[in-house]
């Protein structure tokens, strides 16, 4: 019995130790923070002659949504930033694809431990505002003489702004371009230097290319089908500024006759013209299909340019996404956001970092190693970028297309609004509903979801 | 009196001391989040409402009218109906085989159990490839049947079935282990005496093996059904619940509601529904079934 009693005491003791440990950790951190503050208040008095400051540590979350070793590039850029700014320490955290990344950040925001700076989809802007997660950057921009905001391409700046404030810095940006296999063009008797420029040619060429065991073309239809749809909708719009959403993120304009035509065209590619596989084509499988010669053309993000360049064993070309009534492509990708629940020092450091990451040299480096579009004009004037585009002029197509680019679908409650549209498009692609019915249903759902924001 | 109390205290103290660490973790990571979810499910908290509003049972009422939730629930029931009996039957047959196999016993067992050792994400990638239109093995097989291009995961009619097939493949090996253990508990002399009495192999299975593995069957049934409601990673890899929710399951929809839609209240309500459902299923094992099915 006595033995049992002892054992009980030991077990209890162990448990208490466990609990005690965690508390001890907390205390230690507190004391450290305490001495930190005393030190910094003491510093200005004792040492006017530049004592090295305690470095500010900031965390940086980023996703990678395209093929290729982009994590290396971004980690390298963070490292070179730290060399230049020794008093700021950046901890880059690769968080998976955009979806995972958003979830990790939102979870952090809810736990009051957000990253200090992060790359997130430009479309998350309103959700971030609604959860009170980010800070506007107007003050930083106003105070900073060396931040030239006019140097950024206007199509990218568009979606950094809401309610008259600027909330993010364009970073990892793209548009949709047409990739085509030049060898297959030759084999089909087409001129490899003349990609299709409008929908009629697209159908005609794709029909000719649809042979030898590969399909004419592919447009991915899962995940981001709304993005592809947005492109077709703009191309089919008679009004050059027609958009599938309102300017303030409170309204969806899905169900218009022109949009129905645009969706119908997408469906026709596989059902009527038979130049594309039927059903919902996978986003990630599409570039693989192109690289492996399963499809002669694909519509995909320009962010995959380097992936295709590295892996395709054939000569390929890229072109503007073909026009119907006009050219058009939504921009895509992520911006740098700075978060709220952290200290002003960290926010300032994060701003410094965001500025560095989008400086011309960095933008050029990032663009040339990924295929993403350089976010600012001066990036294309750097030596590195000139050398890169001389050797690989395909890289200029996405930039040139920016004059026809516009804001990606972004609304309040973006998750629900975009999935309302995505689900209906998938349903239509799968042949469960016609184009008109799909957009009508998507519109109704979006109106319902947006109603609370229009009160 | 005093000594008796002392002893009681000692004895109980010992017991509690042993249980306490697990209890702490269970409380922290299981019971507390469960209660918190139940509490949260009474509030409206989403992107449109910054400060949570108490709404009582409204979230639950809304769930009953949410067509997507109803579809997802229905999917999940079909998923359970499709995976549980088949994977169990397959597991039983595989266990019989692995039990009797004389040559290469170890190899047979490993071959059957193998799908379980692969992480779900890796398995999902493999199957994604098998289902890929044009050059996936199954996709080719299917298009050979139908005579046209088949996109198994891109079609609402076939997507759930395709996932069920994969899940059966993944689960059967796991359940086989339980059956194998069950089979080895059966005394061999039962079979011997049955053979001496001239009873055929089939009758032996029917009269000896199946009744004597009934406790295993019950256990596996409960595990299989609860598992059917807990699958999520393969959806995430392969279909994201699409196309148009045709393959979405309960847990995935909860995840989506929480993190993609930021609708905390609604997600909490769904979580509570799910917890209750799983509790009810697990209760079958305690609620007398176990006694009834034993050795008749």
């Amino acid at each position: 019995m006595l033995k049992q009693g002892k054992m009980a005491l030991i077990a209890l003791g162990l448990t208490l130790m466990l609990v005690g440990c965690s508390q001890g950790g907390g205390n230690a951190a507190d004391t450290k923070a305490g001495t930190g503050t005393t030190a910094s208040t003491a510093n200005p008095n004792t040492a006017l002659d530049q004592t090295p400051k305690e470095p500010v540590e900031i965390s940086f979350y980023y996703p990678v949504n395209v093929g290729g070793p982009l994590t290396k590039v971004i980690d390298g850029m963070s490292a070179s930033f730290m060399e230049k700014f020794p008093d700021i320490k950046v901890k880059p955290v690769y968080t998976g694809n955009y979806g995972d990344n958003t979830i990790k950040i939102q979870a952090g925001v809810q736990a009051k431990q957000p990253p200090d700076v992060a790359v997130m989809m430009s479309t998350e802007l309103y959700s971030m505002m609604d959860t009170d997660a980010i800070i506007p950057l107007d003050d930083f921009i106003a105070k900073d003489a060396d931040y030239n905001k006019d140097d950024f391409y206007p199509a990218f700046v568009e979606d950094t702004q809401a309610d008259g404030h600027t909330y993010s810095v364009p970073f990892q940006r793209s548009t949709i371009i047409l990739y085509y296999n030049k060898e297959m063009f030759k084999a089909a008797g087409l001129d490899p230097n003349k990609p299709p420029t409008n929908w009629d040619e697209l159908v005609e060429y794709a029909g000719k290319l649809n042979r030898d065991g590969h399909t004419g073309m592919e447009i991915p239809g899962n995940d981001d089908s709304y993005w592809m749809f947005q492109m077709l909708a703009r191309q089919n719009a008679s009004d050059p500024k027609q958009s599938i959403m309102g300017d303030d993120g409170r309204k969806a304009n899905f169900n218009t006759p022109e949009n129905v035509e645009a969706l119908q065209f997408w469906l026709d590619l596989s059902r009527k013209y038979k130049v594309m596989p039927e059903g919902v084509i996978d986003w990630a499988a599409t570039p693989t299909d192109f690289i492996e010669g399963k499809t002669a053309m694909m519509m995909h993000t320009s962010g995959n340019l380097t992936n295709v360049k590295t892996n395709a064993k054939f000569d390929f070309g890229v072109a503007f996404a073909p026009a119907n009534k006009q050219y058009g492509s939504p921009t895509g990708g992520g911006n740098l956001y700075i978060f709220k629940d952290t200290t002003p020092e960290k926010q300032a450091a994060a701003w410094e970092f965001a500025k560095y990451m989008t400086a011309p040299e960095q933008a050029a480096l990032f663009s040339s190693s990924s295929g993403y579009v350089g976010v600012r004009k001066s990036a294309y004037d750097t030596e590195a970028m000139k050398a890169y585009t001389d050797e690989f002029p395909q890289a200029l197509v996405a930039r040139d297309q920016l004059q026809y680019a516009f804001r990606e679908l972004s609304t309040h409650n973006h998750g629900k609004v975009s999935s309302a549209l995505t689900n209906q498009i998938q349903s239509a692609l799968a042949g469960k509903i016609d184009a008109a019915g799909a957009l009508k249903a998507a519109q109704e759902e979006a109106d319902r979801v947006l109603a609370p924001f229009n009160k | 009196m005093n000594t008796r109390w002392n002893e009681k205290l000692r004895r109980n103290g010992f017991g509690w001391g042993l249980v306490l660490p697990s209890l702490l973790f269970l409380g922290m990571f299981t019971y507390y989040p469960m209660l918190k979810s139940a509490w949260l499910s009474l509030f409206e908290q989403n992107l449109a409402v910054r400060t949570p509003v108490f709404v009582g049972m409204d979230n639950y009422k809304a769930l009953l009218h949410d067509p997507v939730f109803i579809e997802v629930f229905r999917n999940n029931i079909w998923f359970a109906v499709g995976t549980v009996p088949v994977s169990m039957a397959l597991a039983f047959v595989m266990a019989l085989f692995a039990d009797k196999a004389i040559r290469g016993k170890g190899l047979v067992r490993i071959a059957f159990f193998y799908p379980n050792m692969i992480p779900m994400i890796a398995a999902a990638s493999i199957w994604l490839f098998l289902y890929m239109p044009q050059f996936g093995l199954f996709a080719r097989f299917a298009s050979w049947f139908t005579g046209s291009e088949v996109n198994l995961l891109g079609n609402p009619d076939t997507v759930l079935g395709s996932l069920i097939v994969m899940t059966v493949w993944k689960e059967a090996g796991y359940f086989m282990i339980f059956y194998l253990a069950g089979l080895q508990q059966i005394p061999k002399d039962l079979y011997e005496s049955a053979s001496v009495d001239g009873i055929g192999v089939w009758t032996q299975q029917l009269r000896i093996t199946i009744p004597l593995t009934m406790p295993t069957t019950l256990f596996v049934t409960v595990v299989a059904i609860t598992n059917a409601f807990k699958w999520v990673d393969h959806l995430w890899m392969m279909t994201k619940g699409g196309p148009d929710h045709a393959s979405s399951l309960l847990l995935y929809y909860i995840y989506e509601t929480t993190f993609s839609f930021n609708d905390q209240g609604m997600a909490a309500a769904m979580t509570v529904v799910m917890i209750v459902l799983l509790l009810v299923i697990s209760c079958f094992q305690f609620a007398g079934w176990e006694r009834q099915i034993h050795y008749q």
Side-chain angles (χ1 to χ4, degrees), chain A residues 267 271 278-280 423-438, chain B residues 71 154-159 243-246:
Chain A
L267 303 180
R271 283 169 211 286
E278 275 190 26
V280 179
N423 282 321
Q424 291 303 329
I425 293 173
Q426 287 182 359
S427 221
L429 286 171
K432 296 278 137 189
I433 191 169
D434 65 354
Chain B
E71 189 185 343
N155 185 335
D157 295 328
T158 52
V159 63
D244 195 16
H245 302 295

PDB file of all heavy atoms in Angstrom, chain A residues 267 271 278-280 423-438, chain B residues 71 154-159 243-246:
ATOM      1  N   LEU A 267     -18.275  25.722 -72.979  1.00  0.00           N
ATOM      2  CA  LEU A 267     -18.894  24.392 -73.080  1.00  0.00           C
ATOM      3  C   LEU A 267     -18.802  23.862 -74.512  1.00  0.00           C
ATOM      4  O   LEU A 267     -18.542  22.676 -74.740  1.00  0.00           O
ATOM      5  CB  LEU A 267     -20.359  24.452 -72.654  1.00  0.00           C
ATOM      6  CG  LEU A 267     -20.645  24.990 -71.253  1.00  0.00           C
ATOM      7  CD1 LEU A 267     -22.146  24.989 -70.994  1.00  0.00           C
ATOM      8  CD2 LEU A 267     -19.930  24.147 -70.214  1.00  0.00           C
ATOM      9  N   ARG A 271     -18.103  20.238 -76.235  1.00  0.00           N
ATOM     10  CA  ARG A 271     -19.309  19.519 -76.663  1.00  0.00           C
ATOM     11  C   ARG A 271     -19.643  19.701 -78.148  1.00  0.00           C
ATOM     12  O   ARG A 271     -20.047  18.765 -78.822  1.00  0.00           O
ATOM     13  CB  ARG A 271     -20.501  19.956 -75.809  1.00  0.00           C
ATOM     14  CG  ARG A 271     -20.430  19.309 -74.471  1.00  0.00           C
ATOM     15  CD  ARG A 271     -21.408  19.862 -73.483  1.00  0.00           C
ATOM     16  NE  ARG A 271     -20.817  19.745 -72.162  1.00  0.00           N
ATOM     17  CZ  ARG A 271     -20.704  18.591 -71.498  1.00  0.00           C
ATOM     18  NH1 ARG A 271     -21.166  17.491 -72.017  1.00  0.00           N
ATOM     19  NH2 ARG A 271     -20.123  18.554 -70.322  1.00  0.00           N
ATOM     20  N   GLU A 278     -13.960  16.570 -72.458  1.00  0.00           N
ATOM     21  CA  GLU A 278     -15.181  16.950 -71.746  1.00  0.00           C
ATOM     22  C   GLU A 278     -14.968  16.898 -70.244  1.00  0.00           C
ATOM     23  O   GLU A 278     -14.048  16.266 -69.761  1.00  0.00           O
ATOM     24  CB  GLU A 278     -16.316  15.993 -72.141  1.00  0.00           C
ATOM     25  CG  GLU A 278     -17.004  16.415 -73.408  1.00  0.00           C
ATOM     26  CD  GLU A 278     -18.277  15.604 -73.670  1.00  0.00           C
ATOM     27  OE1 GLU A 278     -18.874  15.107 -72.708  1.00  0.00           O
ATOM     28  OE2 GLU A 278     -18.643  15.491 -74.846  1.00  0.00           O
ATOM     29  N   GLY A 279     -15.865  17.543 -69.517  1.00  0.00           N
ATOM     30  CA  GLY A 279     -15.834  17.483 -68.059  1.00  0.00           C
ATOM     31  C   GLY A 279     -14.918  18.531 -67.460  1.00  0.00           C
ATOM     32  O   GLY A 279     -14.471  19.456 -68.131  1.00  0.00           O
ATOM     33  N   VAL A 280     -14.630  18.356 -66.186  1.00  0.00           N
ATOM     34  CA  VAL A 280     -13.830  19.342 -65.462  1.00  0.00           C
ATOM     35  C   VAL A 280     -12.357  18.960 -65.557  1.00  0.00           C
ATOM     36  O   VAL A 280     -11.944  17.911 -65.085  1.00  0.00           O
ATOM     37  CB  VAL A 280     -14.272  19.386 -63.989  1.00  0.00           C
ATOM     38  CG1 VAL A 280     -13.429  20.378 -63.218  1.00  0.00           C
ATOM     39  CG2 VAL A 280     -15.747  19.749 -63.894  1.00  0.00           C
ATOM     40  N   ASN A 423     -18.810  26.353 -58.516  1.00  0.00           N
ATOM     41  CA  ASN A 423     -19.610  25.131 -58.499  1.00  0.00           C
ATOM     42  C   ASN A 423     -20.566  25.065 -59.681  1.00  0.00           C
ATOM     43  O   ASN A 423     -20.756  24.012 -60.278  1.00  0.00           O
ATOM     44  CB  ASN A 423     -20.403  25.030 -57.203  1.00  0.00           C
ATOM     45  CG  ASN A 423     -19.528  24.583 -56.062  1.00  0.00           C
ATOM     46  OD1 ASN A 423     -18.675  23.735 -56.239  1.00  0.00           O
ATOM     47  ND2 ASN A 423     -19.720  25.172 -54.905  1.00  0.00           N
ATOM     48  N   GLN A 424     -21.174  26.195 -60.014  1.00  0.00           N
ATOM     49  CA  GLN A 424     -22.113  26.179 -61.129  1.00  0.00           C
ATOM     50  C   GLN A 424     -21.387  25.964 -62.462  1.00  0.00           C
ATOM     51  O   GLN A 424     -21.889  25.277 -63.335  1.00  0.00           O
ATOM     52  CB  GLN A 424     -22.932  27.477 -61.162  1.00  0.00           C
ATOM     53  CG  GLN A 424     -23.910  27.605 -60.003  1.00  0.00           C
ATOM     54  CD  GLN A 424     -24.891  26.452 -59.919  1.00  0.00           C
ATOM     55  OE1 GLN A 424     -25.257  25.867 -60.933  1.00  0.00           O
ATOM     56  NE2 GLN A 424     -25.300  26.091 -58.716  1.00  0.00           N
ATOM     57  N   ILE A 425     -20.210  26.567 -62.584  1.00  0.00           N
ATOM     58  CA  ILE A 425     -19.443  26.353 -63.813  1.00  0.00           C
ATOM     59  C   ILE A 425     -19.067  24.880 -63.939  1.00  0.00           C
ATOM     60  O   ILE A 425     -19.200  24.271 -65.009  1.00  0.00           O
ATOM     61  CB  ILE A 425     -18.171  27.236 -63.827  1.00  0.00           C
ATOM     62  CG1 ILE A 425     -18.557  28.707 -63.927  1.00  0.00           C
ATOM     63  CG2 ILE A 425     -17.264  26.860 -64.985  1.00  0.00           C
ATOM     64  CD1 ILE A 425     -17.393  29.659 -63.789  1.00  0.00           C
ATOM     65  N   GLN A 426     -18.648  24.290 -62.833  1.00  0.00           N
ATOM     66  CA  GLN A 426     -18.294  22.865 -62.860  1.00  0.00           C
ATOM     67  C   GLN A 426     -19.494  22.028 -63.260  1.00  0.00           C
ATOM     68  O   GLN A 426     -19.384  21.088 -64.040  1.00  0.00           O
ATOM     69  CB  GLN A 426     -17.794  22.425 -61.487  1.00  0.00           C
ATOM     70  CG  GLN A 426     -16.413  22.945 -61.171  1.00  0.00           C
ATOM     71  CD  GLN A 426     -15.910  22.451 -59.835  1.00  0.00           C
ATOM     72  OE1 GLN A 426     -16.605  21.726 -59.130  1.00  0.00           O
ATOM     73  NE2 GLN A 426     -14.712  22.851 -59.474  1.00  0.00           N
ATOM     74  N   SER A 427     -20.641  22.407 -62.694  1.00  0.00           N
ATOM     75  CA  SER A 427     -21.872  21.689 -63.004  1.00  0.00           C
ATOM     76  C   SER A 427     -22.167  21.768 -64.501  1.00  0.00           C
ATOM     77  O   SER A 427     -22.556  20.784 -65.127  1.00  0.00           O
ATOM     78  CB  SER A 427     -23.000  22.340 -62.222  1.00  0.00           C
ATOM     79  OG  SER A 427     -23.847  21.397 -61.703  1.00  0.00           O
ATOM     80  N   ALA A 428     -21.966  22.961 -65.058  1.00  0.00           N
ATOM     81  CA  ALA A 428     -22.215  23.147 -66.488  1.00  0.00           C
ATOM     82  C   ALA A 428     -21.210  22.358 -67.312  1.00  0.00           C
ATOM     83  O   ALA A 428     -21.565  21.704 -68.296  1.00  0.00           O
ATOM     84  CB  ALA A 428     -22.145  24.628 -66.834  1.00  0.00           C
ATOM     85  N   LEU A 429     -19.935  22.385 -66.901  1.00  0.00           N
ATOM     86  CA  LEU A 429     -18.910  21.645 -67.635  1.00  0.00           C
ATOM     87  C   LEU A 429     -19.204  20.159 -67.608  1.00  0.00           C
ATOM     88  O   LEU A 429     -18.919  19.434 -68.562  1.00  0.00           O
ATOM     89  CB  LEU A 429     -17.525  21.902 -67.018  1.00  0.00           C
ATOM     90  CG  LEU A 429     -16.904  23.266 -67.284  1.00  0.00           C
ATOM     91  CD1 LEU A 429     -15.651  23.456 -66.450  1.00  0.00           C
ATOM     92  CD2 LEU A 429     -16.581  23.437 -68.758  1.00  0.00           C
ATOM     93  N   ALA A 430     -19.781  19.703 -66.502  1.00  0.00           N
ATOM     94  CA  ALA A 430     -20.096  18.287 -66.382  1.00  0.00           C
ATOM     95  C   ALA A 430     -21.396  17.932 -67.088  1.00  0.00           C
ATOM     96  O   ALA A 430     -21.802  16.775 -67.092  1.00  0.00           O
ATOM     97  CB  ALA A 430     -20.170  17.894 -64.914  1.00  0.00           C
ATOM     98  N   GLY A 431     -22.059  18.938 -67.643  1.00  0.00           N
ATOM     99  CA  GLY A 431     -23.262  18.668 -68.405  1.00  0.00           C
ATOM    100  C   GLY A 431     -24.520  18.503 -67.575  1.00  0.00           C
ATOM    101  O   GLY A 431     -25.514  17.955 -68.021  1.00  0.00           O
ATOM    102  N   LYS A 432     -24.487  18.994 -66.338  1.00  0.00           N
ATOM    103  CA  LYS A 432     -25.635  18.836 -65.459  1.00  0.00           C
ATOM    104  C   LYS A 432     -26.626  19.983 -65.604  1.00  0.00           C
ATOM    105  O   LYS A 432     -27.755  19.909 -65.134  1.00  0.00           O
ATOM    106  CB  LYS A 432     -25.175  18.800 -63.994  1.00  0.00           C
ATOM    107  CG  LYS A 432     -24.313  17.650 -63.653  1.00  0.00           C
ATOM    108  CD  LYS A 432     -25.141  16.420 -63.376  1.00  0.00           C
ATOM    109  CE  LYS A 432     -24.472  15.248 -64.039  1.00  0.00           C
ATOM    110  NZ  LYS A 432     -25.282  14.045 -64.007  1.00  0.00           N
ATOM    111  N   ILE A 433     -26.168  21.091 -66.137  1.00  0.00           N
ATOM    112  CA  ILE A 433     -27.008  22.286 -66.193  1.00  0.00           C
ATOM    113  C   ILE A 433     -26.539  23.099 -67.392  1.00  0.00           C
ATOM    114  O   ILE A 433     -25.381  22.995 -67.788  1.00  0.00           O
ATOM    115  CB  ILE A 433     -26.883  23.072 -64.857  1.00  0.00           C
ATOM    116  CG1 ILE A 433     -27.929  24.172 -64.750  1.00  0.00           C
ATOM    117  CG2 ILE A 433     -25.492  23.640 -64.677  1.00  0.00           C
ATOM    118  CD1 ILE A 433     -28.017  24.775 -63.363  1.00  0.00           C
ATOM    119  N   ASP A 434     -27.429  23.870 -67.999  1.00  0.00           N
ATOM    120  CA  ASP A 434     -26.981  24.665 -69.148  1.00  0.00           C
ATOM    121  C   ASP A 434     -26.382  25.993 -68.686  1.00  0.00           C
ATOM    122  O   ASP A 434     -26.462  26.353 -67.508  1.00  0.00           O
ATOM    123  CB  ASP A 434     -28.120  24.881 -70.153  1.00  0.00           C
ATOM    124  CG  ASP A 434     -29.246  25.711 -69.577  1.00  0.00           C
ATOM    125  OD1 ASP A 434     -29.181  26.022 -68.360  1.00  0.00           O
ATOM    126  OD2 ASP A 434     -30.184  26.044 -70.316  1.00  0.00           O
ATOM    127  N   ALA A 435     -25.767  26.697 -69.604  1.00  0.00           N
ATOM    128  CA  ALA A 435     -25.019  27.905 -69.239  1.00  0.00           C
ATOM    129  C   ALA A 435     -25.917  28.927 -68.564  1.00  0.00           C
ATOM    130  O   ALA A 435     -25.556  29.530 -67.538  1.00  0.00           O
ATOM    131  CB  ALA A 435     -24.371  28.501 -70.485  1.00  0.00           C
ATOM    132  N   ALA A 436     -27.111  29.130 -69.102  1.00  0.00           N
ATOM    133  CA  ALA A 436     -28.005  30.146 -68.537  1.00  0.00           C
ATOM    134  C   ALA A 436     -28.435  29.764 -67.125  1.00  0.00           C
ATOM    135  O   ALA A 436     -28.408  30.598 -66.205  1.00  0.00           O
ATOM    136  CB  ALA A 436     -29.232  30.304 -69.443  1.00  0.00           C
ATOM    137  N   GLY A 437     -28.789  28.509 -66.950  1.00  0.00           N
ATOM    138  CA  GLY A 437     -29.227  28.047 -65.621  1.00  0.00           C
ATOM    139  C   GLY A 437     -28.110  28.162 -64.604  1.00  0.00           C
ATOM    140  O   GLY A 437     -28.334  28.559 -63.455  1.00  0.00           O
ATOM    141  N   ALA A 438     -26.897  27.836 -65.026  1.00  0.00           N
ATOM    142  CA  ALA A 438     -25.758  27.875 -64.113  1.00  0.00           C
ATOM    143  C   ALA A 438     -25.518  29.287 -63.603  1.00  0.00           C
ATOM    144  O   ALA A 438     -25.362  29.521 -62.404  1.00  0.00           O
ATOM    145  CB  ALA A 438     -24.508  27.354 -64.821  1.00  0.00           C
TER     146      ALA A 438
ATOM    147  N   GLU B  71     -27.030  17.820 -49.201  1.00  0.00           N
ATOM    148  CA  GLU B  71     -26.386  17.013 -50.239  1.00  0.00           C
ATOM    149  C   GLU B  71     -25.126  16.331 -49.696  1.00  0.00           C
ATOM    150  O   GLU B  71     -24.883  15.149 -49.950  1.00  0.00           O
ATOM    151  CB  GLU B  71     -26.034  17.881 -51.447  1.00  0.00           C
ATOM    152  CG  GLU B  71     -25.569  17.037 -52.620  1.00  0.00           C
ATOM    153  CD  GLU B  71     -25.093  17.874 -53.794  1.00  0.00           C
ATOM    154  OE1 GLU B  71     -25.419  19.073 -53.834  1.00  0.00           O
ATOM    155  OE2 GLU B  71     -24.391  17.322 -54.649  1.00  0.00           O
ATOM    156  N   GLY B 154     -14.126  14.193 -62.888  1.00  0.00           N
ATOM    157  CA  GLY B 154     -14.692  15.470 -63.326  1.00  0.00           C
ATOM    158  C   GLY B 154     -16.179  15.365 -63.595  1.00  0.00           C
ATOM    159  O   GLY B 154     -16.789  16.322 -64.060  1.00  0.00           O
ATOM    160  N   ASN B 155     -16.760  14.217 -63.307  1.00  0.00           N
ATOM    161  CA  ASN B 155     -18.174  14.026 -63.586  1.00  0.00           C
ATOM    162  C   ASN B 155     -18.932  13.722 -62.293  1.00  0.00           C
ATOM    163  O   ASN B 155     -18.583  12.792 -61.578  1.00  0.00           O
ATOM    164  CB  ASN B 155     -18.309  12.853 -64.569  1.00  0.00           C
ATOM    165  CG  ASN B 155     -19.738  12.665 -65.008  1.00  0.00           C
ATOM    166  OD1 ASN B 155     -20.682  13.029 -64.314  1.00  0.00           O
ATOM    167  ND2 ASN B 155     -19.908  12.101 -66.176  1.00  0.00           N
ATOM    168  N   PRO B 156     -19.959  14.521 -61.978  1.00  0.00           N
ATOM    169  CA  PRO B 156     -20.686  14.335 -60.721  1.00  0.00           C
ATOM    170  C   PRO B 156     -21.258  12.925 -60.556  1.00  0.00           C
ATOM    171  O   PRO B 156     -21.448  12.475 -59.433  1.00  0.00           O
ATOM    172  CB  PRO B 156     -21.816  15.357 -60.798  1.00  0.00           C
ATOM    173  CG  PRO B 156     -21.414  16.324 -61.828  1.00  0.00           C
ATOM    174  CD  PRO B 156     -20.478  15.638 -62.761  1.00  0.00           C
ATOM    175  N   ASP B 157     -21.523  12.232 -61.657  1.00  0.00           N
ATOM    176  CA  ASP B 157     -22.123  10.898 -61.540  1.00  0.00           C
ATOM    177  C   ASP B 157     -21.125   9.834 -61.123  1.00  0.00           C
ATOM    178  O   ASP B 157     -21.492   8.831 -60.523  1.00  0.00           O
ATOM    179  CB  ASP B 157     -22.736  10.472 -62.886  1.00  0.00           C
ATOM    180  CG  ASP B 157     -23.891  11.365 -63.268  1.00  0.00           C
ATOM    181  OD1 ASP B 157     -24.572  11.841 -62.343  1.00  0.00           O
ATOM    182  OD2 ASP B 157     -24.101  11.584 -64.475  1.00  0.00           O
ATOM    183  N   THR B 158     -19.869  10.037 -61.475  1.00  0.00           N
ATOM    184  CA  THR B 158     -18.901   8.975 -61.224  1.00  0.00           C
ATOM    185  C   THR B 158     -17.923   9.305 -60.106  1.00  0.00           C
ATOM    186  O   THR B 158     -17.223   8.418 -59.628  1.00  0.00           O
ATOM    187  CB  THR B 158     -18.079   8.687 -62.492  1.00  0.00           C
ATOM    188  OG1 THR B 158     -17.553   9.922 -62.970  1.00  0.00           O
ATOM    189  CG2 THR B 158     -18.930   8.040 -63.556  1.00  0.00           C
ATOM    190  N   VAL B 159     -17.905  10.564 -59.685  1.00  0.00           N
ATOM    191  CA  VAL B 159     -16.821  10.968 -58.789  1.00  0.00           C
ATOM    192  C   VAL B 159     -16.911  10.255 -57.444  1.00  0.00           C
ATOM    193  O   VAL B 159     -15.908   9.743 -56.928  1.00  0.00           O
ATOM    194  CB  VAL B 159     -16.769  12.510 -58.641  1.00  0.00           C
ATOM    195  CG1 VAL B 159     -18.010  13.063 -58.004  1.00  0.00           C
ATOM    196  CG2 VAL B 159     -15.550  12.926 -57.873  1.00  0.00           C
ATOM    197  N   PRO B 243     -17.004  17.788 -58.567  1.00  0.00           N
ATOM    198  CA  PRO B 243     -17.626  19.004 -59.111  1.00  0.00           C
ATOM    199  C   PRO B 243     -18.985  19.281 -58.484  1.00  0.00           C
ATOM    200  O   PRO B 243     -19.741  18.336 -58.272  1.00  0.00           O
ATOM    201  CB  PRO B 243     -17.781  18.683 -60.597  1.00  0.00           C
ATOM    202  CG  PRO B 243     -17.471  17.245 -60.756  1.00  0.00           C
ATOM    203  CD  PRO B 243     -16.880  16.727 -59.513  1.00  0.00           C
ATOM    204  N   ASP B 244     -19.206  20.521 -58.204  1.00  0.00           N
ATOM    205  CA  ASP B 244     -20.461  20.976 -57.626  1.00  0.00           C
ATOM    206  C   ASP B 244     -20.893  20.121 -56.432  1.00  0.00           C
ATOM    207  O   ASP B 244     -22.015  19.634 -56.396  1.00  0.00           O
ATOM    208  CB  ASP B 244     -21.555  20.986 -58.704  1.00  0.00           C
ATOM    209  CG  ASP B 244     -22.749  21.795 -58.233  1.00  0.00           C
ATOM    210  OD1 ASP B 244     -22.578  22.559 -57.263  1.00  0.00           O
ATOM    211  OD2 ASP B 244     -23.825  21.659 -58.821  1.00  0.00           O
ATOM    212  N   HIS B 245     -20.026  19.974 -55.451  1.00  0.00           N
ATOM    213  CA  HIS B 245     -20.319  19.280 -54.189  1.00  0.00           C
ATOM    214  C   HIS B 245     -20.615  17.799 -54.348  1.00  0.00           C
ATOM    215  O   HIS B 245     -20.997  17.150 -53.381  1.00  0.00           O
ATOM    216  CB  HIS B 245     -21.500  19.926 -53.455  1.00  0.00           C
ATOM    217  CG  HIS B 245     -21.291  21.361 -53.144  1.00  0.00           C
ATOM    218  ND1 HIS B 245     -20.315  21.792 -52.275  1.00  0.00           N
ATOM    219  CD2 HIS B 245     -21.916  22.469 -53.581  1.00  0.00           C
ATOM    220  CE1 HIS B 245     -20.343  23.108 -52.196  1.00  0.00           C
ATOM    221  NE2 HIS B 245     -21.303  23.550 -52.979  1.00  0.00           N
ATOM    222  N   ALA B 246     -20.461  17.250 -55.553  1.00  0.00           N
ATOM    223  CA  ALA B 246     -20.860  15.863 -55.763  1.00  0.00           C
ATOM    224  C   ALA B 246     -20.028  14.889 -54.937  1.00  0.00           C
ATOM    225  O   ALA B 246     -20.472  13.799 -54.642  1.00  0.00           O
ATOM    226  CB  ALA B 246     -20.756  15.499 -57.241  1.00  0.00           C
TER     227      ALA B 246
END
